[in-house]
């Protein structure tokens, strides 16, 4: 088997702002594992928060190339990658590509391989980043076909952003603060305000360093509190499970399909709600994550919808619901091959 890497730059339709950062484009690494005519695709969305970059992803994959996958089974290859330290977004790309090629050889869609027949609508939220009130009004108009909105907060205009959205729509809102409320009393005040505005959940309101304050916040909140920045890996899940109502699991954060599957099962066993989230990424990363969507309570897989130059075709959206296709693997094709 041959491992190929391709760096891509994805352009955002709108400048994307969270409590952490603001960006107009992102760099990603597409991994292709080829075995004769058959190939598997994976995507790495490196995160500077975890000291990852396109360069660190490529360096890691170059190390993996030396391990000679040719004479290893699928499971041995997955285990070898998971045994390496750190580099979760790079591991995710390799793990996804291995699952893609393995299930293509079995001629099975990945969701069928896991026995995940969707018995309900796979409704994804659509993200509205922090912006001026005028731009937020425009974004609400653009989000018409989505049934749930995810709103980024963590700035001085938080209450005005929510009031503006509520002038135009009564759709359920999910709020993601990206650690933006650095004080327990501010977080309590904001949650009291949000309780009157049909908010389904609040993601990572306070910094991950304030873990022990989370139970004090939950005592005052009727809205479920979901961990994102506080929970990257399986070990983190065990550390934070008693401080949150749920957890946001992302392939690029946890190391791919194999770890995400294990974390989702474990989170359910720990009585946590599960969100399946994403980074800004192409249809490769989004379609891979979507294979596990029937397992979770909240789906937030809109990263490919926020970009203007997606090089791939994968899962489609119908009326804000993800439609898993019957193509083998993760069901992704390169657009140029169409
Ligand atoms: Mg988040």
């Amino acid at each position: 088997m041959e491992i190929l890497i391709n760096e891509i730059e994805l352009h955002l339709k709108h400048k994307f702002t969270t409590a952490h950062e603001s960006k107009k484009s992102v760099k990603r690494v597409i991994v292709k594992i080829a075995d004769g005519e058959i190939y598997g695709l994976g995507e790495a969305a490196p995160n500077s928060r975890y000291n990852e970059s396109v360069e660190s992803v490529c360096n890691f994959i170059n190390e993996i190339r030396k391990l000679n996958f040719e004479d290893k089974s699928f499971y041995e290859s997955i285990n070898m990658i998971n045994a390496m330290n750190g580099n979760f977004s790079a591991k995710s790309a390799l793990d996804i590509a291995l699952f893609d090629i393995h299930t293509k050889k079995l001629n099975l869609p990945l969701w069928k391989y896991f026995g995940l027949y969707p018995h309900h609508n796979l409704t994804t939220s659509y993200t509205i980043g922090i912006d001026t009130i005028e731009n937020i009004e425009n974004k609400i108009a653009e989000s018409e076909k989505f049934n749930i909105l995810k709103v980024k907060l963590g700035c001085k205009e938080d209450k005005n952003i929510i009031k503006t959205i509520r002038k135009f729509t009564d759709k359920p809102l999910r709020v993601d603060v990206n650690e933006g409320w650095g004080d327990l009393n501010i977080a309590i005040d904001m949650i009291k305000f949000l309780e009157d505005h049909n908010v389904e959940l609040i993601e990572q309101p306070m910094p991950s360093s304030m873990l022990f304050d989370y139970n004090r916040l939950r005592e005052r909140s009727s809205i479920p509190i979901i961990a994102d920045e506080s929970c990257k890996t399986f070990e983190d899940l065990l550390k934070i499970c008693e401080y949150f109502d749920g957890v946001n699991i992302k392939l690029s954060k946890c190391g791919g399909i194999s770890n995400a599957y294990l974390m989702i099962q474990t989170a359910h066993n720990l009585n946590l709600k599960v969100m399946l989230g994403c980074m800004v990424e192409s249809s490769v990363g989004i379609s891979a994550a979507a294979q596990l969507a029937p397992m979770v309570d909240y789906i937030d897989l809109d990263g490919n919808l926020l970009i203007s130059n997606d090089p791939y075709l994968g899962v489609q959206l119908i009326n804000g619901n993800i439609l898993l296709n019957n193509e083998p693997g993760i069901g992704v094709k390169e657009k140029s091959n169409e």
Side-chain angles (χ1 to χ4, degrees):
M1 286 197 289
E2 190 183 9
I3 305 175
L4 306 160
I5 45 182
N6 182 24
E7 297 175 30
I8 57 172
E9 183 162 10
L10 302 174
H11 300 288
L12 285 144
K13 291 176 184 167
H14 300 284
K15 186 168 76 173
F16 189 69
T17 302
T18 70
H20 285 310
E21 59 187 345
S22 190
K23 53 199 174 189
K24 287 182 178 168
S25 69
V26 294
K27 290 185 174 161
R28 301 296 181 235
V29 181
I30 300 293
V31 170
K32 187 174 190 175
I33 297 181
D35 186 4
E37 291 289 295
I38 300 185
Y39 64 86
L41 292 173
E43 178 168 1
N47 190 338
S48 58
R49 179 188 170 84
Y50 308 124
N51 296 318
E52 296 174 342
S53 62
V54 163
E55 191 183 9
S56 71
V57 169
C58 294
N59 289 342
F60 181 82
I61 291 167
N62 283 331
E63 288 303 306
I64 291 290
R65 278 178 169 145
K66 296 175 191 165
L67 299 178
N68 296 326
F69 279 116
E70 292 80 5
D71 40 357
K72 305 285 188 301
S73 73
F74 166 65
Y75 292 103
E76 283 174 321
S77 305
I78 293 280
N79 286 338
M80 278 169 62
I81 291 163
N82 281 328
M84 309 273 288
N85 281 331
N87 293 289
F88 287 92
S89 66
K91 282 189 210 171
S92 178
L94 288 159
D95 181 277
I96 295 167
L98 282 167
F99 268 98
D100 190 28
I101 190 168
H102 181 62
T103 47
K104 275 179 179 165
K105 286 178 178 176
L106 297 171
N107 198 28
L108 274 177
L110 187 50
W111 59 274
K112 276 192 185 170
Y113 171 82
F114 282 121
L116 298 173
Y117 289 83
H119 297 295
H120 56 279
N121 283 342
L122 304 176
T123 306
T124 182
S125 49
Y126 182 75
T127 304
I128 295 181
I130 292 173
D131 214 325
T132 62
I133 297 299
E134 187 187 356
N135 284 345
I136 285 193
E137 289 181 15
N138 294 333
K139 287 179 178 177
I140 295 165
E142 287 173 24
S143 66
E144 197 183 350
K145 66 181 172 188
F146 295 90
N147 305 308
I148 303 170
L149 301 180
K150 175 160 162 175
V151 185
K152 295 283 191 182
L153 294 185
C155 68
K156 286 181 186 155
E157 293 295 320
D158 282 352
K159 288 184 183 176
N160 280 338
I161 288 172
I162 296 295
K163 285 178 189 167
T164 302
I165 292 171
R166 279 289 170 251
K167 268 192 238 165
F168 294 93
T169 175
D170 58 0
K171 287 175 189 173
L173 298 182
R174 297 173 182 168
V175 164
D176 186 0
V177 192
N178 291 109
E179 311 183 289
W181 301 334
D183 177 279
L184 179 63
N185 290 323
I186 292 172
I188 290 171
D189 174 65
M190 276 304 301
I191 285 177
K192 291 295 142 203
F193 169 80
L194 294 174
E195 281 176 338
D196 296 328
H197 290 83
N198 189 20
V199 171
E200 188 181 25
L201 59 85
I202 301 173
E203 203 181 312
Q204 198 72 40
M206 302 186 296
S208 53
S209 58
M210 290 175 67
L211 180 64
F212 300 128
D213 287 313
Y214 267 90
N215 276 343
R216 293 166 69 195
L217 184 62
R218 285 167 74 210
E219 284 168 10
R220 307 288 296 274
S221 174
S222 63
I223 306 174
I225 310 282
I226 308 295
D228 183 0
E229 285 84 346
S230 285
C231 182
K232 185 181 172 198
T233 62
F234 184 81
E235 286 71 26
D236 293 335
L237 178 62
L238 303 181
K239 277 183 214 157
I240 62 98
C241 61
E242 61 193 292
Y243 299 98
F244 288 88
D245 301 297
V247 62
N248 184 348
I249 294 171
K250 302 174 185 172
L251 301 191
S252 220
K253 194 170 61 162
C254 74
I257 300 270
S258 53
N259 283 334
Y261 185 86
L262 181 65
M263 285 177 75
I264 293 168
Q265 296 273 27
T266 306
H268 284 314
N269 291 344
L270 291 166
N271 214 17
L272 292 171
K273 294 284 189 187
V274 179
M275 173 186 281
L276 189 57
C278 64
M279 311 291 282
V280 173
E281 44 195 315
S282 81
S283 281
V284 173
I286 296 300
S287 300
Q291 307 299 313
L292 302 181
M295 298 176 76
V296 306
D297 304 287
Y298 313 113
I299 300 167
D300 178 33
L301 296 178
D302 66 342
N304 57 336
L305 308 174
L306 305 176
I307 56 175
S308 59
N309 64 330
D310 189 349
Y312 299 94
L313 279 174
V315 290
Q316 300 295 303
L317 268 186
I318 306 288
N319 298 326
N321 299 321
I322 290 175
L323 193 67
L324 293 170
N325 61 40
N326 275 307
E327 297 294 323
I330 62 170
V332 171
K333 287 179 184 151
E334 290 168 50
K335 271 186 184 164
S336 55
N337 289 349
E338 281 299 290

